[in-house]
């Protein structure tokens, strides 16, 4: 990777719903299949861990403990054993909120893979927005 290539992208979307409502929904791991397609179509709690059937295979998803700061960070442990840390924030913005996902490019990831990952995260955020605003 050259120094001119971006290693981090902040992807965000405004959601016209109260911050706490969006946070509470998104922080519930059982809701992930509804809005986070990258983590797969199903998730279940097994022995205290959230296991998702993702396009990459079975992954373990560990969310940040419930908090009053809008922190939705989550670690995804891939089938290879590698853990990817995903910083996410729900930030108050008037009567709504902004959901910000910090996407980091892994060292082994090509520029095209990073672009595809960013597009997938953006699509997930758009789905979250739609689900929340249709409530």
């Amino acid at each position: 990777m050259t120094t001119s290539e971006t290693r981090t992208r902040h992807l965000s979307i405004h959601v016209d719903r109260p911050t706490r409502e969006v946070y509470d929904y998104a922080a519930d791991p059982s809701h992930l299949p509804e809005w986070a397609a990258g983590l797969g179509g199903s998730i279940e709690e097994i022995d205290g861990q959230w296991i998702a059937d993702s396009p990459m295979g079975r992954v373990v998803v560990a969310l940040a403990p419930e908090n009053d700061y809008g922190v939705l960070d989550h670690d995804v442990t891939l089938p290879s054993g590698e853990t990817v840390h995903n910083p996410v924030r729900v930030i108050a913005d008037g009567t709504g909120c902004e959901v910000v996902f910090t996407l980091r490019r892994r060292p082994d990831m090509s520029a095209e893979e990073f672009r595809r990952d960013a597009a997938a995260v953006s699509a997930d955020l758009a789905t979250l927005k739609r689900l929340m605003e249709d409530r």
Side-chain angles (χ1 to χ4, degrees):
M1 181 178 330
T2 66
T3 56
S4 65
E5 294 176 276
T6 303
R7 293 189 55 85
T8 301
R9 288 195 55 196
H10 301 285
L11 305 165
S12 66
I13 198 160
H14 178 83
V15 180
D16 191 22
R17 298 299 292 179
T19 304
R20 190 71 208 191
E21 188 176 313
V22 174
Y23 172 85
D24 286 344
Y25 176 83
D28 182 342
S30 70
H31 292 155
L32 287 172
E34 297 169 16
W35 68 273
L39 289 176
S42 68
I43 192 167
E44 62 182 323
E45 188 175 12
I46 301 172
D47 296 328
Q49 292 187 313
W50 287 94
I51 310 295
D53 287 316
S54 81
M56 302 165 283
R58 289 176 66 83
V59 297
V60 177
V61 181
L63 279 84
E66 183 179 345
N67 61 82
D68 293 327
Y69 304 105
V71 176
L72 284 175
D73 291 7
H74 58 282
D75 290 339
V76 178
T77 303
L78 306 175
S80 67
E82 175 187 9
T83 298
V84 179
H85 180 67
N86 299 288
V88 183
R89 301 292 183 275
V90 180
I91 304 165
D93 183 17
T95 58
C97 63
E98 193 80 14
V99 180
V100 182
F101 188 112
T102 300
L103 181 64
R104 295 207 170 109
R105 183 173 170 189
R106 296 187 317 273
D108 63 335
M109 185 179 266
S110 72
E112 180 55 31
E113 288 171 320
F114 189 54
R115 277 191 289 278
R116 282 196 309 265
D117 208 11
V121 169
S122 293
D124 288 349
L125 292 175
T127 299
L128 177 62
K129 174 185 177 71
R130 182 182 48 76
L131 287 170
M132 295 307 303
E133 291 180 356
D134 286 352
R135 292 179 145 223

